[in-house]
Amino acid sequence: LTGNGILIGLIDTGIRYTFPDFLKEDGTTKLHSVWDQTQQSGQTPIGLPYGTVFSKEEINENLRQRENAQSVPLLLTDENGHGTKVASVASKAAPSAELIMVKCRQAKSYLRTYYRIPEAADAYDESDIVAALKYIHDISQQENKPVVIGITMGTNMGDHTGNSFLNIYLNTLTQERHHCIVIGGGNEGNAAHHYHGELTRQQPSQNVEIRVGGEMGGFVMDFWGGVPYIYTVTIRSPGGESIQWVNPQLRKPQEFTFIFERTRIIVEYLVVEQNSGAELVRFRMERPTPGIWTISVRTEVDVVNGSFDMWLPNTQFLESEVIFLEPTPYTTITEPGYVHRSITATAYNDANRSFYANSGRGYARDGYVKPDIAAPGVNVSTIMGSMTGTSMAAAITAGGVAQIMQWAVVDGNNVLADSFTMRNYVKKYNMTYITDKMCKTI
């Protein structure tokens, strides 16, 4: 089993397509095509009005020309290197599979401003990821080939139950015959960016402490409240000033400032978030004073078993350390890792069979079981050196699933297989032997 007849679609930072790992024995490319969302000068995908598509034929012609003259310019590149590393691992695990790469463009400036994301951080727009998924899906339909789609991007924003727009679209794709979605669980398990609180009649309020480690432009924090309870929040600054946000039952944002602090807090409220149905309060902290911030959460109604969750941004989206002083390490898989029918991969160290502590952990906020598999993800060898993280675990898993998809669909053992089928094959049978073998060959 080598992934023969299978497509592996990756949404990432691009690919250095001239590397040997992406060439067949005859020197031609293993790539079916590349959609570079950052280039606007060439042919766009059908139905998608931006970016440039490079076909297999164009890539092969470029490779041929570069053999004769190294001065021939590259069609595209991968400045970050992450996409190239992920693709090399997946390709080594399933060497006969064809690769489809989507190089995602960076998020627009207004989104970076809204979410207070530093300019130096790599950040991507959910709508561009959805477009990339459509592109890969359309190729699979046109070629009439099974496809394994690997996603190694994630965010702490979201309800952590699989109900975002991206998650809903992914769940639709998982129900397509001969499709399988593999998602990396993220590396936020030890980041101290999640807090879970339980409220009772005996304890109807709870204090949550956040430490802001240094000067920064700001950050966004999401509060998700369990239905049917309604919450109020009091925020105390490091200097001792307090403001109270009282549930207004309005959609209009509220703005708060302090007398002795330069911090400004904008609170946006949804009594019923559109997809999840949960209560969502978003706190946008601008120029927060370094020190300990205390957030007191209280319900306005008699509590039986009320609960709430709070998430800070991904580590890469923060200019300085911002953590909960009493964090909860569970439910730290990044979105979209909670798609029910996908295969969500976390990482372990195959050298000593220990769990990789930074891996995102389950369950989902509603108790659904995630992740689905732990694959090697520590010091995994790639074409650009070793790399650690759940991206590597997802890449190995994607290659392993391509092998199983070949057995099921191409070899005719289960021609109706979909993502749910692949997930249960992986969970039902011992995947450890397969992933260990692949890890040693990479």
Side-chain angles (χ1 to χ4, degrees), residues 75-91:
L75 296 175
L76 74 153
T77 188
D78 175 15
E79 299 85 357
N80 181 291
H82 186 275
T84 301
K85 293 175 183 178
V86 168
S88 71
V89 171
S91 183

Side-chain angles (χ1 to χ4, degrees), residues 297-360:
V297 180
R298 186 179 183 87
T299 60
E300 293 184 343
V301 295
D302 194 19
V303 174
V304 180
N305 285 309
S307 65
F308 64 91
D309 290 272
M310 302 167 71
W311 280 277
L312 294 165
N314 299 38
T315 302
Q316 295 89 340
F317 291 169
L318 293 168
E319 296 172 277
S320 63
E321 184 184 63
V322 182
I323 61 172
F324 292 109
L325 291 186
E326 297 184 34
T328 307
Y330 303 104
T331 320
T332 50
I333 293 170
T334 53
E335 295 278 11
Y338 297 94
V339 175
H340 283 193
R341 300 168 71 94
S342 72
I343 301 174
T344 301
T346 192
Y348 77 95
N349 187 342
D350 70 301
N352 58 15
R353 294 192 173 274
S354 64
F355 181 72
Y356 175 52
N358 290 335
S359 288

Side-chain angles (χ1 to χ4, degrees), residues 373-395:
I373 183 175
V378 177
N379 294 324
V380 175
S381 178
T382 81
I383 199 168
M384 296 176 64
S386 64
M387 181 176 173
T388 296
T390 58
S391 292
M392 294 292 95

Side-chain angles (χ1 to χ4, degrees), residues 167-203:
N167 285 351
I168 292 170
Y169 183 59
L170 282 167
N171 215 41
T172 301
L173 288 179
T174 62
Q175 299 174 60
E176 290 269 352
R177 192 175 297 173
H178 305 165
H179 283 54
C180 183
I181 308 295
V182 177
I183 304 171
N187 305 312
E188 287 286 303
N190 251 11
H193 289 160
H194 172 227
Y195 183 92
H196 176 78
E198 297 280 349
L199 301 178
T200 63
R201 283 196 179 100
Q202 292 73 31
Q203 187 182 6

Side-chain angles (χ1 to χ4, degrees), residues 119-430:
E119 282 300 318
D122 289 312
Y124 305 95
D125 188 340
E126 187 177 73
S127 62
D128 290 326
I129 298 173
V130 170
L133 289 167
K134 180 184 184 303
Y135 172 74
I136 295 170
H137 166 71
D138 289 349
I139 289 175
S140 171
Q141 298 295 96
Q142 294 162 12
E143 298 288 335
N144 194 27
K145 288 183 177 181
V147 63
V148 179
I149 302 176
I151 300 177
T152 53
M153 299 176 178
T155 177
N156 282 344
M157 301 294 103
D159 72 329
H160 289 66
T161 60
N163 286 309
S164 72
F165 173 67
L166 174 58
N167 285 351
I168 292 170
Y169 183 59
L170 282 167
N171 215 41
T172 301
L173 288 179
T174 62
Q175 299 174 60
E176 290 269 352
R177 192 175 297 173
H178 305 165
H179 283 54
C180 183
I181 308 295
V182 177
I183 304 171
N187 305 312
E188 287 286 303
N190 251 11
H193 289 160
H194 172 227
Y195 183 92
H196 176 78
E198 297 280 349
L199 301 178
T200 63
R201 283 196 179 100
Q202 292 73 31
Q203 187 182 6
S205 66
Q206 196 163 126
N207 288 336
V208 183
E209 293 182 315
I210 300 173
R211 186 179 72 200
V212 177
E215 296 288 342
M216 63 187 307
F219 62 90
V220 172
M221 178 179 67
D222 277 0
F223 173 104
W224 293 86
V227 176
Y229 307 105
I230 298 174
Y231 302 84
T232 60
V233 173
T234 301
I235 302 177
R236 188 172 73 244
S237 73
E241 293 184 73
S242 295
I243 60 168
Q244 185 176 32
W245 174 79
V246 180
N247 185 324
Q249 303 289 326
L250 297 174
R251 294 178 66 93
K252 185 177 179 181
Q254 292 180 286
E255 184 176 322
F256 299 92
T257 56
F258 298 85
I259 297 174
F260 299 109
E261 312 272 358
R262 62 178 185 171
T263 305
R264 183 171 73 131
I265 302 176
I266 301 169
V267 182
E268 299 171 1
Y269 174 69
L270 289 175
V271 64
V272 177
E273 196 270 334
Q274 181 178 0
N275 293 320
S276 66
E279 180 177 359
L280 169 62
V281 187
R282 174 163 291 162
F283 298 91
R284 295 176 58 219
M285 310 278 289
E286 297 185 1
R287 296 191 301 174
T289 304
I292 306 299
W293 289 77
T294 304
I295 300 175
S296 179
V297 180
R298 186 179 183 87
T299 60
E300 293 184 343
V301 295
D302 194 19
V303 174
V304 180
N305 285 309
S307 65
F308 64 91
D309 290 272
M310 302 167 71
W311 280 277
L312 294 165
N314 299 38
T315 302
Q316 295 89 340
F317 291 169
L318 293 168
E319 296 172 277
S320 63
E321 184 184 63
V322 182
I323 61 172
F324 292 109
L325 291 186
E326 297 184 34
T328 307
Y330 303 104
T331 320
T332 50
I333 293 170
T334 53
E335 295 278 11
Y338 297 94
V339 175
H340 283 193
R341 300 168 71 94
S342 72
I343 301 174
T344 301
T346 192
Y348 77 95
N349 187 342
D350 70 301
N352 58 15
R353 294 192 173 274
S354 64
F355 181 72
Y356 175 52
N358 290 335
S359 288
R361 307 176 201 178
Y363 298 85
R365 192 168 60 87
D366 59 2
Y368 192 82
V369 177
K370 285 289 178 178
D372 301 292
I373 183 175
V378 177
N379 294 324
V380 175
S381 178
T382 81
I383 199 168
M384 296 176 64
S386 64
M387 181 176 173
T388 296
T390 58
S391 292
M392 294 292 95
I396 288 175
T397 302
V401 171
Q403 294 183 27
I404 300 172
M405 189 78 85
Q406 176 194 338
W407 170 85
V409 180
V410 177
D411 296 349
N413 292 290
N414 187 347
V415 296
L416 301 179
D418 59 10
S419 190
F420 196 58
T421 309
M422 291 296 105
R423 189 193 75 162
N424 287 341
Y425 275 138
V426 168
K427 292 176 71 173
K428 188 175 180 66
Y429 298 106
N430 190 342

